[in-house]
Amino acid sequence: MQVFTSVSKWSPPRVLVTGFGLIILCGSMLLALPFASSDGSFTPYIDALFTATTSTCVTGLVTVDTGSHWSIAGQIIILVLIQLGGLGFMTMATLFAILLRKRISLKERLILQEALNQSSMEGIVRLIRKIMAYALTIELAGAVLFAVRWSFDMPIGQAVYFGVFHSISFFNNAGIDLFGQFGTPYVSLTGYANDPVVNIVTMLLIVTGGIGFIVISDLLEYRRTKRLSLHSKVVLAATLALILAGTLIIFIFELSNAKTLGSLHWGGKILASFFQSVTPRTAGANTLDLASLRQATQFFIVLLMFIGASPGSTGGGIKTTTFAVLAVAVLAMIRGKEDIVLFRYRIAQERVIKALTITMISLGLVIAVTMILTTTEDQAFLKILFETTSAFATVGLTLGITPELSAFGKALIIFMMFAGRLGPLTLAYGIGPRKEKVLFRHPEGKITIG
């Protein structure tokens, strides 16, 4: 009884950290058992833990090929973990409570507010209903389109299964695929670089999963309200700008590279450039061999991955709104303006400080883990930086070093995926001591900057 009383007093961040940790632990124990592997053998626990973490944290980095190593049962476990991790275990739990007509308590609403990164509890349960409706509708549409397309390449039953698996995986920005079972492991979507249907459907799933459910709701209700919230405007503008800029830069850098865009026809070059610009938004799928990209392109993708998706979405990274606020703040400082204005709205100073805090903590984590891995792993610096950023931003793109990591390297990447999915501030609040009320303020001081 004392244990339950203690748990009931936990802060929302601590509940989220513990909940995700328990889901990963349960998933890893199931995946380690013989029935989960295709050959009926035990999977080394570090690989089972890695797979459970990458699935629950919707990352996509894998140490064993998903299509060839895991049995159907193992793949279904991975799919359940992706859905739980993408939508959030509290969202799923709330859905069941609603279906059972149970009352959602104030504490549960506070946890949902933290999980969905909302500024208030108002309408939180109504938002959960919308999230489930949007998610299931979009995933079903993606599954149908994929199944129809892949029915030309494989038996109809397998095409339906592939359609459901990849629609859920891509919408939740996990990027885990099953195409390794056809002979070449870790192949992702490279066999469909010129296929407009697979590319366009995948990109739509990634973008809708990455912009966040609040933005989706705003867009669907626009015909009735004739307005978009400031949040939606910033997310859509930042997302569009990053995708277009990314497409142009990748196209320019890789146009003459015979190992990537150079081997494709002009329609394929444009399509592949778009795809590689969209997928760093924490999706993890790729249609080009990333290891063959020029180093300048690889480093640019690192930057795109670090920014990531948008708040309240299935993706990770520091988020598009954080990047937008910091970019506008820099421009305001350069122009000598005190106010930071986006779409004719002044951004509160505390929001700017929070954006800066998230960025600095995230950057510090990526730098620290990269430095450690460069001493423990026999890999090039850029490959390790790429891997670390991909793990933190829950992207899942890799230059091919994931299966070659040592047990210690895998453990560090597991930590980065966990930290990236929950967010650095939530993780810090979840494992740190309870905040104490400050009873005094220090006198203001002046320091020279720049």
Short mmCIF file of all heavy atoms in Angstrom, two decimals, residues 372-417:
data_model
loop_
_atom_site.label_atom_id
_atom_site.label_comp_id
_atom_site.label_asym_id
_atom_site.label_seq_id
_atom_site.Cartn_x
_atom_site.Cartn_y
_atom_site.Cartn_z
N ILE A 372 32.61 10.08 -26.34
CA ILE A 372 32.85 8.79 -25.68
C ILE A 372 32.94 7.68 -26.72
O ILE A 372 33.84 6.82 -26.67
CB ILE A 372 31.73 8.49 -24.66
CG1 ILE A 372 31.77 9.50 -23.52
CG2 ILE A 372 31.86 7.07 -24.12
CD1 ILE A 372 30.58 9.42 -22.58
N LEU A 373 32.01 7.68 -27.68
CA LEU A 373 31.99 6.61 -28.68
C LEU A 373 33.21 6.65 -29.60
O LEU A 373 33.64 5.61 -30.11
CB LEU A 373 30.71 6.70 -29.52
CG LEU A 373 29.41 6.30 -28.81
CD1 LEU A 373 28.21 6.48 -29.72
CD2 LEU A 373 29.48 4.85 -28.33
N THR A 374 33.78 7.82 -29.82
CA THR A 374 34.98 7.89 -30.67
C THR A 374 36.17 7.21 -29.99
O THR A 374 37.13 6.83 -30.68
CB THR A 374 35.35 9.36 -30.98
OG1 THR A 374 35.46 10.10 -29.76
CG2 THR A 374 34.34 10.00 -31.90
N THR A 375 36.11 7.04 -28.67
CA THR A 375 37.21 6.36 -27.97
C THR A 375 36.92 4.86 -27.79
O THR A 375 37.86 4.08 -27.59
CB THR A 375 37.44 6.99 -26.58
OG1 THR A 375 36.25 6.85 -25.78
CG2 THR A 375 37.78 8.46 -26.70
N THR A 376 35.64 4.46 -27.83
CA THR A 376 35.31 3.04 -27.61
C THR A 376 35.03 2.28 -28.90
O THR A 376 35.08 1.05 -28.90
CB THR A 376 34.08 2.92 -26.69
OG1 THR A 376 32.93 3.52 -27.34
CG2 THR A 376 34.33 3.62 -25.36
N GLU A 377 34.73 2.99 -29.99
CA GLU A 377 34.38 2.33 -31.25
C GLU A 377 35.41 2.66 -32.32
O GLU A 377 35.90 3.79 -32.40
CB GLU A 377 32.99 2.78 -31.73
CG GLU A 377 31.91 2.74 -30.67
CD GLU A 377 31.68 1.36 -30.10
OE1 GLU A 377 31.64 0.40 -30.89
OE2 GLU A 377 31.53 1.23 -28.87
N ASP A 378 35.73 1.68 -33.13
CA ASP A 378 36.69 1.86 -34.22
C ASP A 378 35.95 2.30 -35.48
O ASP A 378 35.81 1.54 -36.44
CB ASP A 378 37.45 0.55 -34.45
CG ASP A 378 38.56 0.71 -35.48
OD1 ASP A 378 39.00 1.87 -35.70
OD2 ASP A 378 38.98 -0.30 -36.06
N GLN A 379 35.45 3.54 -35.44
CA GLN A 379 34.69 4.08 -36.55
C GLN A 379 35.08 5.53 -36.80
O GLN A 379 35.63 6.20 -35.91
CB GLN A 379 33.18 4.02 -36.26
CG GLN A 379 32.63 2.63 -36.04
CD GLN A 379 32.57 1.79 -37.29
OE1 GLN A 379 32.69 2.31 -38.42
NE2 GLN A 379 32.39 0.48 -37.13
N ALA A 380 34.80 6.02 -38.01
CA ALA A 380 35.12 7.41 -38.36
C ALA A 380 34.25 8.36 -37.54
O ALA A 380 33.12 8.02 -37.16
CB ALA A 380 34.90 7.64 -39.85
N PHE A 381 34.79 9.56 -37.28
CA PHE A 381 34.10 10.53 -36.43
C PHE A 381 32.72 10.88 -36.98
O PHE A 381 31.74 10.91 -36.23
CB PHE A 381 34.94 11.80 -36.30
CG PHE A 381 34.22 12.93 -35.62
CD1 PHE A 381 34.05 12.95 -34.25
CD2 PHE A 381 33.67 13.98 -36.36
CE1 PHE A 381 33.37 13.97 -33.61
CE2 PHE A 381 33.00 15.01 -35.74
CZ PHE A 381 32.85 15.01 -34.37
N LEU A 382 32.62 11.15 -38.29
CA LEU A 382 31.34 11.58 -38.86
C LEU A 382 30.30 10.47 -38.75
O LEU A 382 29.11 10.74 -38.50
CB LEU A 382 31.52 11.99 -40.32
CG LEU A 382 30.27 12.56 -41.02
CD1 LEU A 382 29.69 13.73 -40.25
CD2 LEU A 382 30.59 12.97 -42.46
N LYS A 383 30.72 9.21 -38.89
CA LYS A 383 29.78 8.09 -38.76
C LYS A 383 29.23 8.02 -37.34
O LYS A 383 28.04 7.77 -37.13
CB LYS A 383 30.46 6.78 -39.12
CG LYS A 383 30.74 6.60 -40.60
CD LYS A 383 31.31 5.22 -40.89
CE LYS A 383 31.51 5.02 -42.39
NZ LYS A 383 32.04 3.66 -42.69
N ILE A 384 30.10 8.26 -36.35
CA ILE A 384 29.66 8.21 -34.96
C ILE A 384 28.75 9.40 -34.64
O ILE A 384 27.73 9.26 -33.96
CB ILE A 384 30.87 8.18 -34.01
CG1 ILE A 384 31.60 6.84 -34.17
CG2 ILE A 384 30.45 8.40 -32.56
CD1 ILE A 384 32.87 6.73 -33.36
N LEU A 385 29.11 10.59 -35.12
CA LEU A 385 28.26 11.77 -34.92
C LEU A 385 26.89 11.55 -35.56
O LEU A 385 25.85 11.88 -34.97
CB LEU A 385 28.92 13.01 -35.52
CG LEU A 385 28.11 14.30 -35.48
CD1 LEU A 385 27.85 14.73 -34.04
CD2 LEU A 385 28.83 15.42 -36.25
N PHE A 386 26.88 10.97 -36.75
CA PHE A 386 25.64 10.69 -37.47
C PHE A 386 24.78 9.72 -36.65
O PHE A 386 23.58 9.94 -36.45
CB PHE A 386 25.98 10.07 -38.84
CG PHE A 386 24.86 10.07 -39.82
CD1 PHE A 386 24.78 11.02 -40.82
CD2 PHE A 386 23.87 9.10 -39.77
CE1 PHE A 386 23.75 11.02 -41.75
CE2 PHE A 386 22.83 9.08 -40.68
CZ PHE A 386 22.77 10.04 -41.68
N GLU A 387 25.41 8.65 -36.15
CA GLU A 387 24.69 7.63 -35.38
C GLU A 387 24.13 8.21 -34.08
O GLU A 387 22.98 7.95 -33.70
CB GLU A 387 25.65 6.48 -35.06
CG GLU A 387 24.99 5.26 -34.49
CD GLU A 387 24.47 4.32 -35.57
OE1 GLU A 387 24.67 4.61 -36.77
OE2 GLU A 387 23.87 3.30 -35.21
N THR A 388 24.94 9.00 -33.38
CA THR A 388 24.52 9.57 -32.10
C THR A 388 23.37 10.54 -32.28
O THR A 388 22.38 10.51 -31.53
CB THR A 388 25.71 10.29 -31.43
OG1 THR A 388 26.80 9.38 -31.30
CG2 THR A 388 25.32 10.79 -30.05
N THR A 389 23.47 11.41 -33.28
CA THR A 389 22.40 12.37 -33.55
C THR A 389 21.13 11.65 -33.97
O THR A 389 20.02 12.02 -33.55
CB THR A 389 22.82 13.36 -34.64
OG1 THR A 389 24.09 13.94 -34.30
CG2 THR A 389 21.80 14.47 -34.80
N SER A 390 21.28 10.62 -34.80
CA SER A 390 20.13 9.84 -35.24
C SER A 390 19.42 9.19 -34.06
O SER A 390 18.19 9.16 -34.00
CB SER A 390 20.59 8.77 -36.23
OG SER A 390 19.51 7.98 -36.66
N ALA A 391 20.19 8.69 -33.10
CA ALA A 391 19.60 8.06 -31.91
C ALA A 391 18.90 9.09 -31.05
O ALA A 391 17.75 8.88 -30.62
CB ALA A 391 20.69 7.35 -31.11
N PHE A 392 19.55 10.22 -30.79
CA PHE A 392 18.95 11.23 -29.93
C PHE A 392 17.68 11.81 -30.55
O PHE A 392 16.68 12.04 -29.86
CB PHE A 392 19.93 12.37 -29.66
CG PHE A 392 19.30 13.52 -28.94
CD1 PHE A 392 19.02 13.45 -27.59
CD2 PHE A 392 18.92 14.67 -29.63
CE1 PHE A 392 18.40 14.49 -26.93
CE2 PHE A 392 18.30 15.72 -28.98
CZ PHE A 392 18.04 15.63 -27.62
N ALA A 393 17.71 12.06 -31.85
CA ALA A 393 16.55 12.65 -32.53
C ALA A 393 15.52 11.60 -32.93
O ALA A 393 14.54 11.92 -33.60
CB ALA A 393 17.00 13.42 -33.77
N THR A 394 15.73 10.34 -32.50
CA THR A 394 14.85 9.20 -32.81
C THR A 394 14.57 9.12 -34.31
O THR A 394 13.43 8.95 -34.73
CB THR A 394 13.53 9.24 -32.02
OG1 THR A 394 12.71 10.31 -32.47
CG2 THR A 394 13.78 9.38 -30.53
N VAL A 395 15.63 9.25 -35.11
CA VAL A 395 15.49 9.23 -36.56
C VAL A 395 15.61 7.80 -37.09
O VAL A 395 14.70 7.29 -37.75
CB VAL A 395 16.55 10.12 -37.23
CG1 VAL A 395 16.43 10.05 -38.75
CG2 VAL A 395 16.40 11.56 -36.76
N GLY A 396 16.74 7.16 -36.82
CA GLY A 396 16.92 5.80 -37.29
C GLY A 396 17.77 5.68 -38.53
O GLY A 396 18.04 4.57 -39.01
N LEU A 397 18.21 6.81 -39.10
CA LEU A 397 19.15 6.74 -40.23
C LEU A 397 20.53 6.36 -39.71
O LEU A 397 20.91 6.73 -38.60
CB LEU A 397 19.21 8.08 -40.95
CG LEU A 397 17.93 8.56 -41.64
CD1 LEU A 397 18.15 9.93 -42.25
CD2 LEU A 397 17.49 7.57 -42.71
N THR A 398 21.28 5.63 -40.51
CA THR A 398 22.61 5.19 -40.09
C THR A 398 23.52 5.08 -41.30
O THR A 398 23.05 4.90 -42.43
CB THR A 398 22.54 3.83 -39.38
OG1 THR A 398 23.86 3.42 -38.99
CG2 THR A 398 21.92 2.77 -40.27
N LEU A 399 24.81 5.20 -41.06
CA LEU A 399 25.80 4.99 -42.11
C LEU A 399 26.34 3.57 -42.06
O LEU A 399 27.40 3.27 -42.61
CB LEU A 399 26.94 6.01 -41.96
CG LEU A 399 26.52 7.48 -42.10
CD1 LEU A 399 27.73 8.40 -41.97
CD2 LEU A 399 25.81 7.73 -43.42
N GLY A 400 25.61 2.68 -41.38
CA GLY A 400 25.93 1.26 -41.41
C GLY A 400 26.72 0.73 -40.24
O GLY A 400 27.15 -0.43 -40.26
N ILE A 401 26.88 1.52 -39.18
CA ILE A 401 27.75 1.06 -38.08
C ILE A 401 26.97 0.46 -36.91
O ILE A 401 27.58 -0.09 -35.99
CB ILE A 401 28.64 2.21 -37.55
CG1 ILE A 401 27.81 3.25 -36.79
CG2 ILE A 401 29.42 2.85 -38.68
CD1 ILE A 401 28.65 4.27 -36.06
N THR A 402 25.63 0.54 -36.92
CA THR A 402 24.85 0.08 -35.76
C THR A 402 25.14 -1.37 -35.38
O THR A 402 25.41 -1.66 -34.21
CB THR A 402 23.34 0.26 -36.01
OG1 THR A 402 23.08 1.56 -36.54
CG2 THR A 402 22.56 0.09 -34.71
N PRO A 403 25.11 -2.33 -36.33
CA PRO A 403 25.38 -3.72 -35.94
C PRO A 403 26.81 -3.95 -35.46
O PRO A 403 27.08 -4.96 -34.80
CB PRO A 403 25.11 -4.51 -37.24
CG PRO A 403 24.29 -3.61 -38.09
CD PRO A 403 24.76 -2.23 -37.75
N GLU A 404 27.72 -3.04 -35.80
CA GLU A 404 29.14 -3.22 -35.46
C GLU A 404 29.51 -2.60 -34.11
O GLU A 404 30.66 -2.71 -33.68
CB GLU A 404 30.01 -2.60 -36.56
CG GLU A 404 29.77 -3.20 -37.95
CD GLU A 404 30.51 -2.43 -39.04
OE1 GLU A 404 31.33 -1.55 -38.70
OE2 GLU A 404 30.26 -2.71 -40.22
N LEU A 405 28.56 -1.95 -33.44
CA LEU A 405 28.86 -1.31 -32.16
C LEU A 405 29.17 -2.36 -31.09
O LEU A 405 28.64 -3.47 -31.10
CB LEU A 405 27.66 -0.47 -31.70
CG LEU A 405 27.31 0.77 -32.53
CD1 LEU A 405 26.00 1.37 -32.04
CD2 LEU A 405 28.42 1.81 -32.45
N SER A 406 30.04 -1.99 -30.15
CA SER A 406 30.31 -2.85 -29.00
C SER A 406 29.10 -2.84 -28.07
O SER A 406 28.18 -2.04 -28.25
CB SER A 406 31.55 -2.34 -28.25
OG SER A 406 31.29 -1.04 -27.71
N ALA A 407 29.11 -3.74 -27.08
CA ALA A 407 28.00 -3.77 -26.11
C ALA A 407 27.88 -2.44 -25.40
O ALA A 407 26.77 -1.95 -25.16
CB ALA A 407 28.22 -4.91 -25.11
N PHE A 408 29.01 -1.82 -25.06
CA PHE A 408 28.98 -0.51 -24.40
C PHE A 408 28.43 0.55 -25.34
O PHE A 408 27.62 1.41 -24.93
CB PHE A 408 30.39 -0.12 -23.95
CG PHE A 408 30.46 1.23 -23.29
CD1 PHE A 408 30.02 1.40 -21.98
CD2 PHE A 408 30.95 2.34 -23.98
CE1 PHE A 408 30.07 2.65 -21.37
CE2 PHE A 408 31.00 3.58 -23.38
CZ PHE A 408 30.56 3.73 -22.07
N GLY A 409 28.82 0.49 -26.62
CA GLY A 409 28.31 1.45 -27.60
C GLY A 409 26.82 1.31 -27.80
O GLY A 409 26.09 2.30 -27.89
N LYS A 410 26.32 0.06 -27.83
CA LYS A 410 24.88 -0.17 -27.95
C LYS A 410 24.14 0.39 -26.74
O LYS A 410 23.06 0.97 -26.87
CB LYS A 410 24.60 -1.66 -28.10
CG LYS A 410 25.06 -2.25 -29.43
CD LYS A 410 24.84 -3.75 -29.46
CE LYS A 410 25.38 -4.35 -30.76
NZ LYS A 410 25.22 -5.83 -30.79
N ALA A 411 24.73 0.21 -25.55
CA ALA A 411 24.09 0.72 -24.32
C ALA A 411 23.99 2.24 -24.36
O ALA A 411 22.96 2.81 -23.95
CB ALA A 411 24.90 0.27 -23.10
N LEU A 412 25.03 2.90 -24.86
CA LEU A 412 24.99 4.37 -24.95
C LEU A 412 23.94 4.82 -25.95
O LEU A 412 23.21 5.81 -25.71
CB LEU A 412 26.37 4.91 -25.36
CG LEU A 412 27.34 5.28 -24.24
CD1 LEU A 412 28.61 5.86 -24.84
CD2 LEU A 412 26.72 6.28 -23.27
N ILE A 413 23.84 4.13 -27.08
CA ILE A 413 22.83 4.49 -28.08
C ILE A 413 21.43 4.24 -27.54
O ILE A 413 20.50 5.01 -27.80
CB ILE A 413 23.06 3.71 -29.39
CG1 ILE A 413 24.39 4.13 -30.04
CG2 ILE A 413 21.92 3.94 -30.37
CD1 ILE A 413 24.46 5.60 -30.44
N ILE A 414 21.25 3.17 -26.75
CA ILE A 414 19.96 2.91 -26.09
C ILE A 414 19.58 4.09 -25.19
O ILE A 414 18.44 4.56 -25.20
CB ILE A 414 20.04 1.60 -25.27
CG1 ILE A 414 20.03 0.40 -26.20
CG2 ILE A 414 18.87 1.51 -24.28
CD1 ILE A 414 20.31 -0.92 -25.51
N PHE A 415 20.55 4.57 -24.41
CA PHE A 415 20.29 5.73 -23.54
C PHE A 415 19.91 6.95 -24.36
O PHE A 415 18.98 7.69 -24.00
CB PHE A 415 21.52 6.04 -22.69
CG PHE A 415 21.45 7.38 -22.01
CD1 PHE A 415 20.63 7.57 -20.90
CD2 PHE A 415 22.19 8.46 -22.49
CE1 PHE A 415 20.56 8.82 -20.29
CE2 PHE A 415 22.12 9.70 -21.88
CZ PHE A 415 21.29 9.87 -20.77
N MET A 416 20.59 7.18 -25.48
CA MET A 416 20.30 8.35 -26.31
C MET A 416 18.90 8.26 -26.92
O MET A 416 18.18 9.26 -27.00
CB MET A 416 21.35 8.48 -27.41
CG MET A 416 22.71 8.93 -26.92
SD MET A 416 22.66 10.58 -26.17
CE MET A 416 22.64 11.60 -27.64
N MET A 417 18.50 7.07 -27.34
CA MET A 417 17.15 6.91 -27.90
C MET A 417 16.09 7.19 -26.83
O MET A 417 15.08 7.85 -27.10
CB MET A 417 16.98 5.50 -28.47
CG MET A 417 17.81 5.23 -29.71
SD MET A 417 17.40 3.68 -30.55
CE MET A 417 18.03 2.47 -29.38
#
